[in-house]
Amino acid sequence: MFSLEHQNYLKKIRREKWFVLICQVAIIVIFLIVWQLLADFKLINTFIFSSPKDVLDTIINLHNTNNFYQHIWITVYETIVSFTMGTLLGCVIATILWWNKILYRICDPYLTILNSLPKVALGPIIIIWSGAGMKSIILMALFISVIITIINVYQGFMEVDATKIKLMQSLGATKRQIYLKLMVPSSIGNFISALKINVSMSLIGVIMGEFLVSKEGIGYLIMYGSQVFNLDLVITGIFILCIVATIMYYLVCYVEKKLIKYD
Amino acid sequence: MEPILKIDHLKKIYHNRQGETLAVEDFSYEMEEGEFVSIVGPSGCGKSTILSILCGLEVKSDGKINIRDNVKLGYMLQQDGLFPWRTILDNCLLGLELQHQLTEENKEYVLHLLETYGLKDFINSYPSSLSGGMRQRVALIRTLATKPDILLLDEPFSALDYQTRLAVSDDVFRIIKGEKKSAIMVTHDLSEAISMSDKVIVLSKRPATIKNIYPIIMTNQSTPIENRKCKEFASYYDKIWKDLDFHV
């Protein structure tokens, strides 16, 4: 059994935890209530600002039409594909650049240019080249996520403790062994943060692509809604997007916990 | 008997854009088997460079290094460099793994070392749960795992606090003598050098050349901590200190 002081300490920690959670829930609840009240008392124009009730109605409506989940699935699918490809390709390229320092120096300015270029500017070209379809959307999202992955993963390699590399060399490690047994495990942290950034980057790319291609997906719902001035649909789209983004983010956090078991 | 290691007129020049720096010049030494040699010198004089060249991390500019046949070198650095994602045992097995020598027999040997030197209870722990002194002992066992004949110790205790440092240097000394290894230790701590070594090599300022070599003979030669109490200790300290010609 713990001392009284320690019990109080534990109690305090628990109380703080609950306080934070309650505040978090309260914010969203109050926000929704205020929004609904403002709409009910006609203090805001629901045609422009919509209301929680209208959003709920829209969701139920969409649920009853059969292609609602199709739209969500399309967006999720495009995100997963571009996220996976972006991550893999980014890691491979970062590895090649680490392996060959000269190549890195040659490519460095181009990477910087590509990184600072707003990729949405390439949207029209990508659509012309590969058609107004899913291929363009995935390509665009891939393009956004791959550059940032290369930079993050490479950065992770650069941050590896130089004495550990020296140690590996003194034990007679080959470059391949240094890569597999030191670089990869020690840049797991950077890899994970690259994944986290990548989830949102891919989603940005996909939504952007869907805005431009405008055929299907959550991005399309939002775009379509705004064009026919159905703000209920727009806000519903954003709401669903929030949920999708959050779920994907927490999936990455779950992977993080699985991968890092020391400390 | 043939010396285990013979260094002949070693020379090292570093190059960078600003120009070249002569780090080591005309360094010659013959090392007997089982000998514990310390190298002391002003900071930045190129002490560590000599060890780096010996174990092949850097390329020498000139001179000859003769290592007796079948003699292996092991390198131990100031930072323990333990991998946080590996358990203590796996950290110790790293060298064997890299050299594709991870046999049952070698693993037994590592386990035996860990047990002998008081780390048995921690073999499945991660480095983050060990104290600095224990981590340094793990680092030594990792070096010993590949069964080197000569240990190259590059300021192995500088990262530790003073008390730990005394205790660990005693431990390491005991381990090295117990396993009948030869060792070259680079340090900036004169008392550490005198208390642990059979010989102390004093280097000059950069470019490092040998200023003096002192064979250390104590009346009651025993462990490093005990050696510090011997009456000769102070006079050696005094001589080496004068050699270093240190001005603030």
Side-chain angles (χ1 to χ4, degrees):
Chain A
M1 207 50 218
F2 296 121
S3 69
L4 193 66
E5 194 181 323
H6 190 71
Q7 285 176 35
N8 285 334
Y9 167 75
L10 290 177
K11 224 181 269 173
K12 189 173 159 243
I13 289 181
R14 238 173 292 145
R15 217 181 297 138
E16 278 175 5
K17 203 177 140 194
W18 276 106
F19 179 72
V20 169
L21 188 69
I22 289 167
C23 285
Q24 286 169 337
V25 175
I27 287 173
I28 186 75
V29 171
I30 291 169
F31 173 72
L32 289 175
I33 290 174
V34 170
W35 186 9
Q36 186 61 49
L37 287 175
L38 287 173
D40 286 349
F41 290 104
K42 305 249 182 289
L43 290 168
I44 53 170
N45 183 353
T46 50
F47 183 67
I48 299 175
F49 290 100
S50 188
S51 77
K53 234 185 244 162
D54 292 339
V55 170
L56 193 65
D57 286 343
T58 314
I59 292 177
I60 293 167
N61 259 334
L62 283 169
H63 171 75
N64 291 335
T65 64
N66 46 8
N67 60 356
F68 175 48
Y69 297 102
Q70 176 73 10
H71 285 302
I72 297 179
W73 168 242
I74 291 282
T75 299
V76 170
Y77 174 78
E78 286 164 347
T79 309
I80 291 173
V81 171
S82 53
F83 168 75
T84 315
M85 281 166 60
T87 307
L88 289 179
L89 202 62
C91 289
V92 170
I93 295 174
T95 302
I96 294 170
L97 292 178
W98 172 77
W99 208 279
N100 193 334
K101 293 274 150 26
I102 297 285
L103 187 65
Y104 174 75
R105 279 170 57 191
I106 294 170
C107 297
D108 189 31
Y110 297 104
L111 275 177
T112 314
I113 293 170
L114 286 177
N115 188 41
S116 37
L117 175 79
K119 262 68 75 178
V120 67
L122 297 173
I125 304 180
I126 293 177
I127 289 173
I128 290 168
W129 285 346
S130 50
M134 194 185 268
K135 214 162 107 195
S136 289
I137 296 170
I138 290 177
L139 259 176
M140 207 180 303
L142 175 66
F143 204 63
I144 290 181
S145 62
V146 79
I147 307 283
I148 198 84
T149 310
I150 295 172
I151 289 172
N152 268 310
V153 173
Y154 188 82
Q155 186 66 29
F157 289 158
M158 288 296 100
E159 279 166 19
V160 172
D161 188 3
T163 51
K164 290 203 172 79
I165 298 177
K166 205 169 165 188
L167 168 83
M168 291 290 279
Q169 287 169 336
S170 79
L171 290 169
T174 60
K175 195 153 190 179
R176 189 162 167 268
Q177 284 175 323
I178 292 178
Y179 177 74
L180 289 176
K181 291 186 193 288
L182 175 61
M183 306 315 278
V184 172
S186 58
S187 44
I188 283 283
N190 276 62
F191 176 69
I192 297 283
S193 60
L195 288 189
K196 283 179 179 167
I197 295 169
N198 247 353
V199 169
S200 40
M201 284 297 160
S202 305
L203 205 53
I204 290 174
V206 165
I207 297 301
M208 231 163 59
E210 287 176 353
F211 278 1
L212 291 173
V213 172
S214 242
K215 262 187 181 162
E216 48 191 353
I218 300 174
Y220 159 75
L221 285 184
I222 294 172
M223 203 58 179
Y224 173 76
S226 78
Q227 276 166 0
V228 299
F229 245 79
N230 181 353
L231 269 295
D232 296 342
L233 188 56
V234 174
I235 290 175
T236 306
I238 294 168
F239 175 70
I240 291 165
L241 211 49
C242 284
I243 294 174
V244 170
T246 310
I247 292 174
M248 290 205 206
Y249 183 81
Y250 278 103
L251 277 180
V252 174
C253 290
Y254 177 76
V255 173
E256 178 176 21
K257 267 197 193 133
K258 286 276 142 186
L259 279 180
I260 301 180
K261 50 185 186 298
Y262 55 90
D263 288 331
Chain B
M1 201 175 168
E2 191 196 344
I4 192 165
L5 171 72
K6 199 175 163 202
I7 305 169
D8 208 16
H9 300 288
L10 185 70
K11 183 178 181 179
K12 173 70 186 174
I13 302 171
Y14 282 114
H15 301 274
N16 63 15
R17 230 177 273 246
Q18 279 74 41
E20 50 182 7
T21 320
L22 185 58
V24 179
E25 195 180 25
D26 205 20
F27 183 92
S28 302
Y29 187 73
E30 285 185 20
M31 189 182 182
E32 302 299 325
E33 193 167 350
E35 207 173 47
F36 196 119
V37 194
S38 286
I39 302 178
V40 298
S43 47
C45 76
K47 298 177 294 236
S48 301
T49 306
I50 297 169
L51 293 195
S52 292
I53 292 172
L54 282 177
C55 83
L57 291 179
E58 283 181 51
V59 185
K60 61 179 189 297
S61 303
D62 200 10
K64 257 189 232 147
I65 295 170
N66 276 316
I67 301 171
R68 203 161 74 194
D69 291 345
N70 302 321
V71 164
K72 276 173 76 179
L73 301 177
Y75 193 38
M76 182 174 164
L77 297 137
Q78 181 180 338
Q79 286 90 358
D80 54 60
L82 298 178
F83 292 179
W85 57 88
R86 281 174 172 249
T87 61
I88 296 306
L89 179 62
D90 286 342
N91 263 297
C92 291
L93 296 176
L94 181 67
L96 293 170
E97 209 177 299
L98 295 174
Q99 294 165 17
H100 307 289
Q101 290 175 358
L102 200 57
T103 58
E104 270 311 305
E105 193 194 333
N106 284 333
K107 202 172 163 182
E108 279 303 312
Y109 174 65
V110 171
L111 281 168
H112 158 80
L113 285 175
L114 284 165
E115 191 171 346
T116 316
Y117 302 113
L119 291 158
K120 187 173 181 274
D121 297 336
F122 297 95
I123 54 173
N124 292 318
S125 311
Y126 288 97
S128 54
S129 59
L130 265 66
S131 69
M134 286 162 102
R135 292 171 65 114
Q136 211 55 19
R137 263 186 287 164
V138 175
L140 178 65
I141 291 172
R142 179 186 57 201
T143 310
L144 289 172
T146 52
K147 298 190 180 163
D149 306 277
I150 306 175
L151 288 162
L152 307 172
L153 311 169
D154 193 353
E155 308 227 8
F157 314 119
S158 331
L160 304 172
D161 63 76
Y162 188 67
Q163 275 159 317
T164 317
R165 187 175 182 146
L166 286 182
V168 175
S169 62
D170 232 38
D171 280 347
V172 166
F173 179 82
R174 201 160 44 90
I175 296 171
I176 288 173
K177 290 290 172 187
E179 304 297 322
K180 298 197 171 53
K181 307 288 184 192
S182 315
I184 306 177
M185 178 173 78
V186 160
T187 178
H188 60 256
D189 184 333
L190 299 189
S191 19
E192 195 171 272
I194 299 166
S195 65
M196 290 180 81
S197 327
D198 300 312
K199 273 181 191 157
V200 176
I201 301 176
V202 185
L203 297 184
S204 66
K205 268 182 253 164
R206 177 168 275 197
T209 51
I210 295 181
K211 209 162 188 181
N212 252 319
I213 299 178
Y214 292 97
I216 307 290
I217 300 148
M218 306 270 190
T219 35
N220 301 310
Q221 195 99 14
S222 63
T223 64
I225 290 181
E226 292 303 313
N227 282 346
R228 285 169 193 254
K229 297 172 192 156
C230 290
K231 59 177 188 292
E232 292 89 349
F233 185 83
S235 74
Y236 281 126
Y237 193 100
D238 207 41
K239 278 188 216 161
I240 295 173
W241 175 252
K242 279 186 185 135
D243 273 350
L244 287 179
D245 197 21
F246 184 76
H247 298 291
V248 182

Coordinates of all heavy atoms in Angstrom, one line a residue, chain B residues 24-82:
Chain B
V24 N 50.0 14.0 -36.5 CA 50.9 13.1 -35.8 C 52.2 13.0 -36.7 O 52.1 13.0 -37.9 CB 50.3 11.7 -35.7 CG1 51.3 10.8 -35.0 CG2 49.0 11.7 -35.0
E25 N 53.3 13.1 -36.0 CA 54.5 13.0 -36.8 C 55.5 12.1 -36.0 O 55.7 12.2 -34.8 CB 55.1 14.4 -37.0 CG 56.2 14.3 -38.1 CD 56.8 15.7 -38.3 OE1 56.8 16.5 -37.4 OE2 57.3 15.9 -39.4
D26 N 56.1 11.2 -36.8 CA 57.2 10.4 -36.3 C 56.9 9.7 -35.0 O 57.6 9.8 -34.0 CB 58.4 11.3 -36.0 CG 59.7 10.6 -36.1 OD1 59.7 9.5 -36.7 OD2 60.7 11.1 -35.6
F27 N 55.8 9.0 -35.0 CA 55.3 8.3 -33.8 C 55.8 6.8 -33.9 O 55.3 6.1 -34.8 CB 53.8 8.4 -33.6 CG 53.3 7.7 -32.3 CD1 53.2 8.4 -31.2 CD2 53.0 6.3 -32.4 CE1 52.7 7.8 -30.0 CE2 52.5 5.7 -31.2 CZ 52.3 6.4 -30.0
S28 N 56.7 6.4 -33.1 CA 57.1 5.0 -33.1 C 57.0 4.3 -31.8 O 57.3 5.0 -30.8 CB 58.6 4.9 -33.6 OG 58.8 5.5 -34.8
Y29 N 56.5 3.1 -31.8 CA 56.4 2.4 -30.5 C 56.4 0.9 -30.7 O 55.7 0.4 -31.7 CB 55.2 2.9 -29.7 CG 55.1 2.3 -28.3 CD1 56.0 2.8 -27.3 CD2 54.2 1.3 -28.0 CE1 55.9 2.2 -26.0 CE2 54.2 0.7 -26.7 CZ 55.0 1.2 -25.8 OH 55.0 0.7 -24.5
E30 N 57.0 0.1 -29.8 CA 56.9 -1.3 -29.9 C 56.2 -1.8 -28.6 O 56.6 -1.5 -27.5 CB 58.3 -2.0 -30.0 CG 58.9 -1.8 -31.3 CD 60.2 -2.5 -31.5 OE1 60.5 -3.4 -30.6 OE2 61.0 -2.2 -32.4
M31 N 55.1 -2.6 -28.8 CA 54.3 -2.9 -27.7 C 54.5 -4.4 -27.4 O 54.4 -5.3 -28.3 CB 52.8 -2.6 -28.0 CG 51.9 -2.8 -26.8 SD 50.3 -2.5 -27.3 CE 49.5 -2.7 -25.8
E32 N 54.7 -4.7 -26.1 CA 54.8 -6.1 -25.7 C 53.4 -6.7 -25.4 O 52.5 -6.0 -25.1 CB 55.7 -6.2 -24.4 CG 57.0 -5.6 -24.5 CD 57.9 -6.3 -25.5 OE1 57.8 -7.5 -25.7 OE2 58.7 -5.6 -26.2
E33 N 53.4 -8.0 -25.5 CA 52.1 -8.6 -25.2 C 51.7 -8.5 -23.7 O 52.6 -8.5 -22.9 CB 52.2 -10.1 -25.5 CG 50.8 -10.8 -25.6 CD 50.9 -12.2 -26.2 OE1 51.9 -12.5 -26.8 OE2 49.8 -12.9 -26.1
G34 N 50.5 -8.2 -23.5 CA 50.0 -8.0 -22.1 C 50.3 -6.7 -21.5 O 50.0 -6.4 -20.3
E35 N 50.8 -5.8 -22.3 CA 51.2 -4.5 -21.8 C 50.0 -3.6 -21.7 O 49.1 -3.6 -22.6 CB 52.2 -3.9 -22.7 CG 53.2 -2.9 -22.0 CD 54.3 -2.5 -23.0 OE1 54.0 -2.2 -24.2 OE2 55.4 -2.5 -22.6
F36 N 49.9 -2.7 -20.7 CA 48.9 -1.7 -20.7 C 49.6 -0.3 -20.8 O 50.4 0.1 -20.0 CB 48.2 -1.7 -19.3 CG 46.9 -1.0 -19.3 CD1 45.7 -1.6 -19.1 CD2 46.8 0.4 -19.6 CE1 44.5 -0.9 -19.1 CE2 45.7 1.1 -19.6 CZ 44.5 0.4 -19.3
V37 N 49.4 0.3 -22.0 CA 50.1 1.6 -22.3 C 49.1 2.7 -22.3 O 48.0 2.5 -22.9 CB 50.7 1.5 -23.7 CG1 51.7 2.7 -23.8 CG2 51.4 0.2 -23.9
S38 N 49.4 3.8 -21.7 CA 48.6 5.0 -21.8 C 49.3 6.1 -22.7 O 50.5 6.2 -22.6 CB 48.3 5.6 -20.5 OG 47.4 4.8 -19.8
I39 N 48.5 6.8 -23.4 CA 49.0 7.9 -24.2 C 48.4 9.2 -23.6 O 47.1 9.3 -23.6 CB 48.7 7.8 -25.7 CG1 49.2 6.5 -26.2 CG2 49.2 9.0 -26.4 CD1 48.9 6.3 -27.7
V40 N 49.2 10.1 -23.1 CA 48.7 11.4 -22.6 C 49.3 12.5 -23.4 O 50.3 12.3 -24.1 CB 49.0 11.6 -21.1 CG1 48.3 10.5 -20.3 CG2 50.4 11.6 -20.8
G41 N 48.6 13.6 -23.4 CA 49.1 14.7 -24.2 C 48.1 15.9 -24.1 O 47.0 15.7 -23.7
P42 N 48.5 17.1 -24.5 CA 47.6 18.2 -24.5 C 46.4 17.9 -25.3 O 46.5 17.2 -26.3 CB 48.4 19.3 -25.1 CG 49.8 18.9 -25.2 CD 49.8 17.4 -25.2
S43 N 45.3 18.5 -25.0 CA 44.0 18.2 -25.7 C 44.2 18.7 -27.2 O 44.8 19.7 -27.4 CB 42.8 18.8 -25.0 OG 43.1 20.2 -24.7
G44 N 43.6 17.9 -28.0 CA 43.7 18.2 -29.5 C 45.0 17.9 -30.1 O 45.3 18.4 -31.2
C45 N 45.9 17.1 -29.4 CA 47.2 17.0 -30.0 C 47.3 15.8 -31.0 O 48.3 15.6 -31.7 CB 48.3 16.7 -28.9 SG 48.2 15.1 -28.2
G46 N 46.2 15.0 -31.1 CA 46.2 13.9 -32.0 C 46.4 12.6 -31.4 O 46.7 11.6 -32.1
K47 N 46.0 12.5 -30.1 CA 46.1 11.2 -29.4 C 45.1 10.2 -30.0 O 45.5 9.1 -30.3 CB 45.7 11.4 -27.9 CG 46.6 12.3 -27.1 CD 46.1 12.4 -25.7 CE 44.8 13.1 -25.7 NZ 44.7 14.3 -24.9
S48 N 43.9 10.7 -30.2 CA 42.8 9.8 -30.7 C 43.1 9.3 -32.1 O 42.7 8.2 -32.5 CB 41.5 10.4 -30.6 OG 41.2 10.7 -29.2
T49 N 43.7 10.2 -32.8 CA 44.1 9.9 -34.2 C 44.8 8.6 -34.3 O 44.6 7.8 -35.2 CB 44.9 11.1 -34.8 OG1 44.2 12.3 -34.6 CG2 45.1 10.9 -36.3
I50 N 45.8 8.5 -33.4 CA 46.6 7.3 -33.5 C 45.8 6.0 -33.3 O 46.0 5.1 -34.1 CB 47.7 7.3 -32.3 CG1 48.6 8.5 -32.6 CG2 48.5 6.1 -32.3 CD1 49.5 8.9 -31.5
L51 N 44.8 6.0 -32.4 CA 44.0 4.9 -32.2 C 43.1 4.6 -33.4 O 42.9 3.5 -33.9 CB 43.1 5.0 -31.0 CG 43.7 5.1 -29.6 CD1 42.7 4.9 -28.5 CD2 44.8 4.0 -29.5
S52 N 42.5 5.7 -34.0 CA 41.7 5.6 -35.2 C 42.5 5.0 -36.3 O 41.9 4.2 -37.0 CB 41.2 7.0 -35.6 OG 40.3 7.5 -34.7
I53 N 43.7 5.4 -36.5 CA 44.5 4.8 -37.5 C 44.8 3.3 -37.3 O 44.6 2.5 -38.2 CB 45.9 5.6 -37.7 CG1 45.6 7.0 -38.2 CG2 46.8 4.8 -38.7 CD1 46.8 7.9 -38.2
L54 N 45.1 3.0 -36.0 CA 45.4 1.6 -35.7 C 44.2 0.7 -36.0 O 44.4 -0.4 -36.5 CB 45.7 1.5 -34.2 CG 47.2 1.9 -33.8 CD1 47.3 1.8 -32.3 CD2 48.2 1.1 -34.5
C55 N 43.0 1.1 -35.7 CA 41.9 0.2 -36.0 C 41.3 0.4 -37.3 O 40.2 -0.1 -37.6 CB 40.9 0.2 -34.8 SG 39.7 1.5 -34.9
G56 N 41.9 1.2 -38.2 CA 41.5 1.3 -39.6 C 40.4 2.2 -39.9 O 39.8 2.2 -41.0
L57 N 40.0 3.1 -38.9 CA 39.0 4.1 -39.2 C 39.5 5.2 -40.0 O 38.8 5.9 -40.7 CB 38.4 4.6 -37.9 CG 37.6 3.6 -37.1 CD1 37.0 4.3 -35.8 CD2 36.4 3.1 -37.9
E58 N 40.8 5.5 -39.9 CA 41.4 6.5 -40.7 C 42.6 6.0 -41.4 O 43.3 5.0 -40.9 CB 41.8 7.7 -39.8 CG 40.6 8.6 -39.4 CD 40.9 9.7 -38.5 OE1 41.9 10.5 -38.9 OE2 40.3 9.9 -37.5
V59 N 43.0 6.7 -42.5 CA 44.1 6.2 -43.3 C 45.4 7.0 -42.9 O 45.3 8.2 -42.8 CB 43.8 6.4 -44.8 CG1 45.0 5.8 -45.6 CG2 42.5 5.7 -45.1
K60 N 46.5 6.3 -42.6 CA 47.7 7.0 -42.2 C 48.3 7.7 -43.5 O 48.1 7.3 -44.6 CB 48.7 6.0 -41.6 CG 49.1 4.9 -42.5 CD 50.1 4.0 -41.8 CE 50.8 3.0 -42.7 NZ 49.9 2.0 -43.3
S61 N 49.1 8.7 -43.2 CA 49.7 9.4 -44.3 C 51.1 8.8 -44.6 O 51.5 8.7 -45.8 CB 49.9 10.9 -44.0 OG 48.7 11.5 -43.7
D62 N 51.7 8.3 -43.6 CA 53.0 7.7 -43.8 C 53.4 6.8 -42.6 O 52.8 7.0 -41.6 CB 54.1 8.8 -44.1 CG 55.3 8.2 -44.8 OD1 55.3 7.0 -45.2 OD2 56.3 8.9 -44.9
G63 N 54.4 6.0 -42.8 CA 54.9 5.2 -41.7 C 54.4 3.7 -41.8 O 53.7 3.4 -42.8
K64 N 54.8 2.9 -40.8 CA 54.4 1.5 -40.9 C 53.8 1.0 -39.7 O 54.2 1.4 -38.6 CB 55.7 0.7 -41.2 CG 55.9 0.2 -42.6 CD 57.0 -0.8 -42.7 CE 58.0 -0.3 -43.8 NZ 59.4 -0.6 -43.5
I65 N 52.8 0.1 -39.8 CA 52.2 -0.5 -38.6 C 52.3 -2.0 -38.8 O 51.8 -2.5 -39.8 CB 50.7 0.0 -38.5 CG1 50.7 1.5 -38.2 CG2 50.1 -0.8 -37.3 CD1 49.3 2.0 -38.2
N66 N 53.0 -2.6 -37.9 CA 53.1 -4.1 -38.0 C 52.3 -4.7 -36.8 O 52.7 -4.5 -35.7 CB 54.5 -4.5 -38.0 CG 55.1 -4.5 -39.3 OD1 54.5 -4.9 -40.3 ND2 56.3 -3.9 -39.4
I67 N 51.3 -5.5 -37.2 CA 50.6 -6.2 -36.1 C 50.9 -7.7 -36.3 O 50.9 -8.2 -37.4 CB 49.1 -6.0 -36.2 CG1 48.8 -4.5 -36.2 CG2 48.3 -6.7 -35.2 CD1 47.3 -4.1 -36.5
R68 N 51.3 -8.3 -35.2 CA 51.6 -9.7 -35.2 C 50.5 -10.5 -35.8 O 49.3 -10.2 -35.6 CB 52.0 -10.2 -33.8 CG 52.9 -11.5 -33.8 CD 53.5 -11.6 -32.5 NE 52.6 -12.1 -31.5 CZ 52.8 -12.1 -30.2 NH1 53.9 -11.6 -29.7 NH2 51.9 -12.5 -29.3
D69 N 50.8 -11.6 -36.5 CA 49.8 -12.4 -37.2 C 48.7 -12.9 -36.2 O 49.0 -13.2 -35.0 CB 50.5 -13.7 -37.8 CG 51.3 -13.3 -39.0 OD1 51.2 -12.1 -39.5 OD2 52.2 -14.1 -39.4
N70 N 47.5 -12.9 -36.7 CA 46.3 -13.4 -35.9 C 46.0 -12.5 -34.7 O 45.3 -13.0 -33.8 CB 46.5 -14.8 -35.5 CG 46.7 -15.7 -36.7 OD1 46.1 -15.6 -37.7 ND2 47.6 -16.7 -36.5
V71 N 46.6 -11.3 -34.7 CA 46.2 -10.4 -33.5 C 45.1 -9.5 -34.0 O 45.1 -8.9 -35.0 CB 47.5 -9.6 -33.1 CG1 47.0 -8.4 -32.2 CG2 48.5 -10.5 -32.4
K72 N 44.0 -9.5 -33.1 CA 42.9 -8.7 -33.5 C 42.8 -7.5 -32.5 O 43.2 -7.5 -31.4 CB 41.6 -9.5 -33.3 CG 41.2 -10.4 -34.5 CD 40.1 -11.3 -34.2 CE 38.8 -10.6 -34.2 NZ 37.6 -11.5 -33.9
L73 N 42.2 -6.4 -33.1 CA 42.1 -5.2 -32.3 C 40.6 -4.9 -32.0 O 39.8 -5.3 -32.7 CB 42.6 -4.0 -33.1 CG 44.1 -4.0 -33.6 CD1 44.4 -2.8 -34.4 CD2 45.0 -4.1 -32.4
G74 N 40.4 -4.4 -30.8 CA 39.1 -4.0 -30.4 C 39.1 -2.5 -29.9 O 40.0 -2.1 -29.3
Y75 N 38.1 -1.8 -30.3 CA 38.1 -0.4 -30.1 C 37.0 0.0 -29.1 O 35.8 -0.5 -29.2 CB 37.8 0.3 -31.4 CG 38.1 1.8 -31.5 CD1 39.1 2.4 -30.8 CD2 37.3 2.6 -32.3 CE1 39.4 3.7 -30.9 CE2 37.5 4.0 -32.4 CZ 38.6 4.5 -31.7 OH 38.8 5.9 -31.8
M76 N 37.3 0.8 -28.1 CA 36.3 1.3 -27.2 C 36.3 2.8 -27.1 O 37.3 3.4 -26.9 CB 36.5 0.6 -25.8 CG 35.5 1.0 -24.8 SD 35.8 0.1 -23.3 CE 34.8 1.0 -22.1
L77 N 35.1 3.4 -27.3 CA 35.1 4.8 -27.3 C 34.6 5.5 -26.0 O 34.1 4.8 -25.2 CB 34.1 5.2 -28.5 CG 34.5 4.8 -29.9 CD1 33.3 4.3 -30.6 CD2 35.1 6.0 -30.6
Q78 N 34.7 6.8 -26.0 CA 34.3 7.6 -24.9 C 32.8 7.4 -24.6 O 32.3 7.1 -23.5 CB 34.6 9.0 -25.1 CG 34.2 9.9 -24.0 CD 34.6 11.4 -24.4 OE1 35.5 11.6 -25.2 NE2 34.0 12.3 -23.7
Q79 N 32.0 7.5 -25.7 CA 30.6 7.3 -25.6 C 30.3 5.8 -25.7 O 30.9 5.1 -26.6 CB 29.8 8.0 -26.7 CG 29.7 9.5 -26.5 CD 30.8 10.2 -27.1 OE1 31.7 9.6 -27.7 NE2 30.8 11.5 -27.1
D80 N 29.5 5.3 -24.8 CA 29.3 3.8 -24.9 C 28.6 3.4 -26.2 O 28.8 2.3 -26.7 CB 28.4 3.3 -23.7 CG 27.1 4.1 -23.6 OD1 26.3 4.0 -24.5 OD2 26.9 4.7 -22.5
G81 N 27.9 4.3 -26.9 CA 27.3 4.0 -28.2 C 26.4 2.8 -28.2 O 26.2 2.1 -29.2
L82 N 25.8 2.5 -27.0 CA 24.9 1.3 -27.0 C 23.6 1.7 -27.8 O 23.1 2.8 -27.7 CB 24.5 1.0 -25.5 CG 25.6 0.6 -24.6 CD1 25.1 0.3 -23.2 CD2 26.3 -0.7 -25.1

